[in-house]
Amino acid sequence: MAAAFGWGALAASSLALGALIGLARPWPRKAIGLVLGFGAGALISAVSFELAEDGVEIAGGLPVAIGLAVGALTYFVASGRVAAMGGGGALALGAFLDGIPEQMVLGIGLAGGDKVSVALLAAIYVSNLPEGVGGATELKASGRDSRQVLRLWVAVAVACTLATPLGYALIDITSKDFQGGINGFAAGALIVMLVDSMIPDATEQAGRTTGLVTTLGFAVGAGLSIA
């Protein structure tokens, strides 16, 4: 359990680190867009190789499909309720809704006797960082106090950290179908967040170059997944 907490804290720490980087100084719009684009590519890779694929291997297609639908609808409804927070708020919500099940997956794997998935750990860390940078920057630009923004992202990081030992504890009382559904939920929330917020924000701020940087992020994430 202690190991699960430690690995969870490491994976989630990049959310708070990204927020600190975003708040440390004013960043050019294009730089933020490129960071978001890279993170979007890494997240697309995580959806493809770490969440959907592993979920199907664990439980088959149906539980993952149900999880996808529930995760997508949950993000869609919740994001509508925080629309007034702007793009940064949407990124924080996305980080929360996909981070909780992602890190539960990490804890479930540890409880099952598997070694730490370096690919999943790296994918979570790499994708969290630009979410934190972009989200904190946009929230600050919307007029929110820096301390309030930092508290928000630290709270998200703490919640995600606690999800890892939770996954570790749940493995003995949950089915394979539930575990596959957790993967699907994270993937569904991520896909809607990417299309609804992260990729449009990145393209608006960085222009056509975003596509190239997103491809680079995907390549890095895919390389980590198969390493």
Side-chain angles (χ1 to χ4, degrees):
M1 183 70 76
F5 181 86
W7 287 115
L10 175 62
S13 65
S14 55
L15 287 169
L17 177 61
L20 282 170
I21 292 171
L23 295 171
R25 48 159 288 185
W27 295 95
R29 281 174 55 84
K30 186 165 185 176
I32 294 299
L34 293 176
V35 167
L36 288 173
F38 183 89
L43 287 172
I44 294 170
S45 175
V47 168
S48 303
F49 299 112
E50 297 296 337
L51 296 173
E53 183 178 17
D54 286 357
V56 171
E57 288 181 1
I58 292 170
L62 182 58
V64 175
I66 293 172
L68 275 165
V70 175
L73 287 170
T74 299
Y75 179 84
F76 180 80
V77 172
S79 63
R81 295 182 178 275
V82 297
M85 295 176 65
L91 288 177
L93 176 65
F96 178 79
L97 289 180
D98 74 76
I100 295 295
E102 266 184 345
Q103 299 213 185
M104 284 182 69
V105 170
L106 186 63
I108 287 169
L110 288 168
D114 299 335
K115 293 181 179 179
V116 176
S117 173
V118 175
L120 179 58
L121 186 67
I124 293 172
Y125 195 94
V126 167
S127 60
N128 279 349
L129 195 61
E131 282 186 288
V133 173
T137 300
E138 292 184 11
L139 281 170
K140 185 178 180 181
S142 71
R144 293 184 178 272
D145 180 73
S146 294
R147 289 172 294 182
Q148 183 184 22
V149 173
L150 183 59
R151 284 196 298 268
L152 170 65
W153 281 95
V154 169
V156 172
V158 169
C160 290
T161 295
L162 295 176
T164 307
L166 176 62
Y168 187 96
L170 286 177
I171 189 171
D172 291 332
I173 58 174
T174 56
S175 66
K176 295 291 185 183
D177 286 350
F178 178 82
Q179 294 169 30
I182 287 291
N183 283 54
F185 183 97
L190 272 175
I191 291 170
V192 179
M193 186 273 288
L194 285 165
V195 175
D196 185 56
S197 177
M198 197 168 185
I199 292 174
D201 285 354
T203 304
E204 179 184 354
Q205 296 184 63
R208 294 181 62 243
T209 313
T210 304
L212 297 176
V213 177
T214 301
T215 303
L216 175 62
F218 180 87
V220 171
L224 291 171
S225 296
I226 63 177

